[in-house]
Amino acid sequence: MTNRLANETSPYLLQHSENPVDWFPWGEEALSKSKEEDKPILLSIGYAACHWCHVMEKECFENPKIAAIMNELFINIKVDREERPDIDSIYMQALQAVTGQGGWPMTMFLTPELNPFYAGTYFPPYDTQHMPGFQRVLLSVSNAFITDRDKVNKNSIQITQHLQKEINIQPEKQDDTNILEKASEILGNYFDPINGGFGSAPKFPKPLSLEFLLRKSILNDDLKAQEIVILTLNKMADGGIHDHIDGGFARYCTDAIWLTPHFEKMLYDNALLAKVFLYAYQLTNNPHFLEISEKIISYVTNDLTDELGGFYTSRDADSEGGEGTYYLWTFDEVMNLLGQETGHLITQYFGITSKGNFENANILHIEKSIAQLSYEQNLSTEIIENKINNGIKKMHFERKRRVKPPLDDKVLTSWNGMMLTTLAEAGNILNKQEYIDKAEKNANFLWDNLMKNGRLLRTWRQGQSKLLGYLEDYSNFAQGLIALYEATFNPIWIQRSIYLCDQILQLFYDPSNRTLYDTGNDHEELIIRPSEFFDGAIPCGASVATMVLLKLARLTGSSNYQNAANNVLEKLSPIISSQPEPFANWLCAIDFATSSPKEIAIIGDRNNSSTQELLNQLRSKFIPNKVLAGFNNLLEEPPLPLLEDKIMVNNQPTAYICQNFTCNRPTNSSDEFKKQLEEINEGLSSSGFFQID
């Protein structure tokens, strides 16, 4: 027998559709029922790839006795945090305020007015030595709601007022003149010089922090920042967090040495990591970083891609009743598959032993380098590499015979925007049409399927689109379209990005308090209007939107875009300056805003060999603070102000480099173009945030 979740599209909600719990999706039916029956709401928030969400479902929500208590005493609402980041953000702040910690599954108890009054994460079904059981929690919370209602109401209102106060925080002015230096120094203090990454266990990849440090490394030749990134990327690439068979990275590691991951693979992690490996390749010319970036892209396009062009959300960690089962190997299994010679080489390369390193099996990680094995085996590195690659191919086909972990096949606009950006930039930097074709297919899919009546939507699955898009959806899609325009010079992409940016200012921006809200002004009313300004595993919508505004201001000359970006940055800069570590993408935006970004125009047919020679000069350099515009058809009007009054000199493809709308002499020569790129100052502008009058 199914419950109301059977009518939902979210794979996470559908996973709970056969629970004996009388689950409701978030909506008017459940919220009205709570008020009519004067019952508290049990709000359970999770996501499809969450291991402990699965554990709590099995132990509690599939338990008939516990389900009966839930059904009798509560209105039970199940939310997919990836579909509803607004609800997740609001009640995660409440959870952290009440308990001092966060995580999923999130278990919240609300009054009928939606104010939180008790909170937790995972609960076992019955009392343990260290944790109260869920059954006792249910009975205690219900009893408090019935017998001590005044206290419950008072406490819940206080929590909500605390959340409202946090959202309307007015920062005190601080010295933010050296904010980028301070942030780099703090990240350096957190850096693990042995294993790479930041802090100890659990350890997250933090690609946004790595991208900021790459930017910082070229800002003033900061070699320490570059060394942090290089060591971290190498350690992650060698570690168990990296899938050495099919590519892609798990969400995080439970240890400090990148060996033992939580095995779920998320689209956003892989989109952001592929990009930072690509940037590291541009900066260092290390082919290993390029190889890892392209393996990530290959993983996403092979495993997380819908035939219509959308990218799926995640691949779960669990299969066949165990966590990571799909990814683990025993020593005997490898030797039987590969034979004595190749098996011996692979077991040394990946550190595979009879004892194992995880539940009597092995998480693959690079234990010995190819160079080391070449020395020990007295064989050339080419021979060793070929033998290892052949062994990996056999392991790939063998692993395909296993039961795959479940796939969350919904398409989220914001996460697709991140992957769109990565594909477009990879196609542009590597001059790889295959990537550009996939990016264009994705951009068309999103526009055709998730834009309804001029309003962007949040999620799509199996032909059904729904839920109003959030700021992060608009901003990430807009950013991807800018990258796609720069990779193709097709004006349709920049026109669509401008449309989304105009919608951002109309729906999400409040100039009176210089705030970008996560929800549009046409969204349902919640206990607060969320405005997340911390960058976590993914960049917050506001930091991405600010970068989009800054880039489009350069391309279009729009003072509206520039002023909105400046207002938001000026408000948040004191907060970022006081604690820069959780603001990595904001730091990238500040780097862009306070530098003198290059405004580069290429006039001529993009497919012309001379045009490609000019573009190759850009491809060979990591120049994050730039915008690029191009004009293919000289018989039409230029699509952007940056291109106006620019012509082909000597009837040949021509490059213009401008800063602050003042241009160098145009050139047809790729050598001269290279010289101009190297000469123009990347340093800070003297006037702080750039102004357009």
Side-chain angles (χ1 to χ4, degrees), residues 271 274-275 278-279 281-282 290 293-294 297 418-436 439 483-484 487 619:
K275 188 171 64 162
L278 181 67
Y279 289 166
Y281 163 70
Q282 266 194 307
L290 175 60
S293 179
E294 293 206 278
I297 292 172
M418 295 179 208
M419 192 64 207
L420 171 61
T421 300
T422 295
L423 273 176
E425 292 201 18
N428 194 8
I429 291 168
L430 304 176
N431 194 21
K432 201 160 186 175
Q433 189 62 40
E434 174 191 353
Y435 294 160
I436 293 174
L484 188 52
R619 293 172 177 137

Side-chain angles (χ1 to χ4, degrees), residues 671-685:
D671 290 338
E672 175 65 18
F673 185 42
K674 176 182 179 180
K675 184 179 179 182
Q676 290 184 11
L677 285 171
E678 292 170 347
E679 285 177 351
I680 292 184
N681 179 28
E682 278 278 2
L684 298 178
S685 64

Side-chain angles (χ1 to χ4, degrees), residues 411-417 446 450 456-459 473 476-477:
V411 172
L412 297 172
T413 303
S414 64
W415 298 11
N416 272 247
L446 294 176
L450 285 136
L456 193 63
L457 301 182
R458 169 68 174 173
T459 182
D473 297 304
N476 280 293
F477 190 15

Side-chain angles (χ1 to χ4, degrees), residues 86-119:
D86 53 337
I87 296 170
D88 179 65
S89 174
I90 291 169
Y91 292 108
M92 180 57 71
Q93 291 177 58
L95 172 65
Q96 291 168 338
V98 171
T99 69
Q101 61 184 11
W104 299 275
M106 190 197 316
T107 307
M108 300 293 302
F109 294 91
L110 317 179
T111 67
E113 295 75 32
L114 307 183
N115 296 315
F117 67 94
Y118 188 80

Side-chain angles (χ1 to χ4, degrees), residues 230-269:
I230 290 172
L231 178 64
T232 299
L233 293 182
N234 279 322
K235 291 291 186 179
M236 287 195 303
D238 287 351
I241 193 173
H242 179 207
D243 181 354
H244 295 271
I245 302 299
D246 285 338
F249 283 76
R251 193 164 72 90
Y252 69 98
C253 272
T254 60
D255 55 34
I257 60 174
W258 303 111
L259 174 63
T260 309
H262 264 305
F263 293 87
E264 65 265 28
K265 290 181 176 179
M266 315 301 292
L267 175 62
Y268 63 79
D269 277 322

Side-chain angles (χ1 to χ4, degrees), residues 448-483:
D448 293 342
N449 292 278
L450 285 136
M451 181 67 74
K452 303 295 183 184
N453 300 318
R455 184 65 160 89
L456 193 63
L457 301 182
R458 169 68 174 173
T459 182
W460 176 96
R461 182 174 183 267
Q462 297 182 357
Q464 183 177 345
S465 305
K466 65 179 187 178
L467 303 177
L468 293 178
Y470 299 93
L471 176 61
E472 65 177 76
D473 297 304
Y474 276 83
S475 56
N476 280 293
F477 190 15
Q479 181 166 260
L481 290 171
I482 293 172

Side-chain angles (χ1 to χ4, degrees), residues 182-388:
K182 183 176 180 180
S184 180
E185 181 181 346
I186 290 174
L187 285 169
N189 292 337
Y190 284 122
F191 174 59
D192 178 346
I194 305 299
N195 304 299
F198 305 97
S200 56
K203 189 171 277 186
F204 290 79
K206 298 195 174 181
L208 298 175
S209 294
L210 297 176
E211 181 180 339
F212 163 68
L213 288 172
L214 283 177
R215 287 170 164 269
K216 182 64 172 57
S217 73
I218 64 170
L219 184 63
N220 50 7
D221 296 323
D222 189 336
L223 293 179
K224 181 181 179 182
Q226 186 176 141
E227 289 168 1
I228 289 173
V229 176
I230 290 172
L231 178 64
T232 299
L233 293 182
N234 279 322
K235 291 291 186 179
M236 287 195 303
D238 287 351
I241 193 173
H242 179 207
D243 181 354
H244 295 271
I245 302 299
D246 285 338
F249 283 76
R251 193 164 72 90
Y252 69 98
C253 272
T254 60
D255 55 34
I257 60 174
W258 303 111
L259 174 63
T260 309
H262 264 305
F263 293 87
E264 65 265 28
K265 290 181 176 179
M266 315 301 292
L267 175 62
Y268 63 79
D269 277 322
N270 285 286
L272 296 173
L273 282 168
K275 188 171 64 162
V276 81
F277 272 101
L278 181 67
Y279 289 166
Y281 163 70
Q282 266 194 307
L283 183 63
T284 66
N285 205 31
N286 184 339
H288 181 55
F289 293 149
L290 175 60
E291 177 189 0
I292 300 300
S293 179
E294 293 206 278
K295 281 184 67 177
I296 297 172
I297 292 172
S298 176
Y299 165 71
V300 171
T301 56
N302 288 328
D303 192 50
L304 297 181
T305 302
D306 186 87
E307 62 180 9
L308 298 178
F311 299 119
Y312 298 143
T313 298
S314 64
R315 176 70 71 177
D316 206 336
D318 298 4
S319 60
E320 300 185 81
E323 183 185 4
T325 302
Y326 182 75
Y327 302 98
L328 302 175
W329 298 84
T330 66
F331 180 85
D332 290 343
E333 184 181 18
V334 172
M335 294 302 295
N336 290 336
L337 174 67
L338 301 180
Q340 188 67 30
E341 182 182 350
T342 304
H344 180 66
L345 198 61
I346 286 287
T347 55
Q348 289 190 79
Y349 182 64
F350 284 132
I352 299 171
T353 65
S354 298
K355 181 180 179 181
N357 55 34
F358 184 80
E359 297 182 357
N360 301 314
N362 292 271
I363 300 168
L364 302 185
H365 64 290
I366 296 179
E367 183 76 15
K368 291 185 177 181
S369 69
I370 288 174
Q372 185 177 354
L373 289 171
S374 172
Y375 175 78
E376 292 176 358
Q377 301 287 326
N378 196 27
L379 294 170
S380 70
T381 56
E382 290 80 9
I383 291 175
I384 295 292
E385 189 169 7
N386 285 335
K387 288 178 178 290
I388 288 173

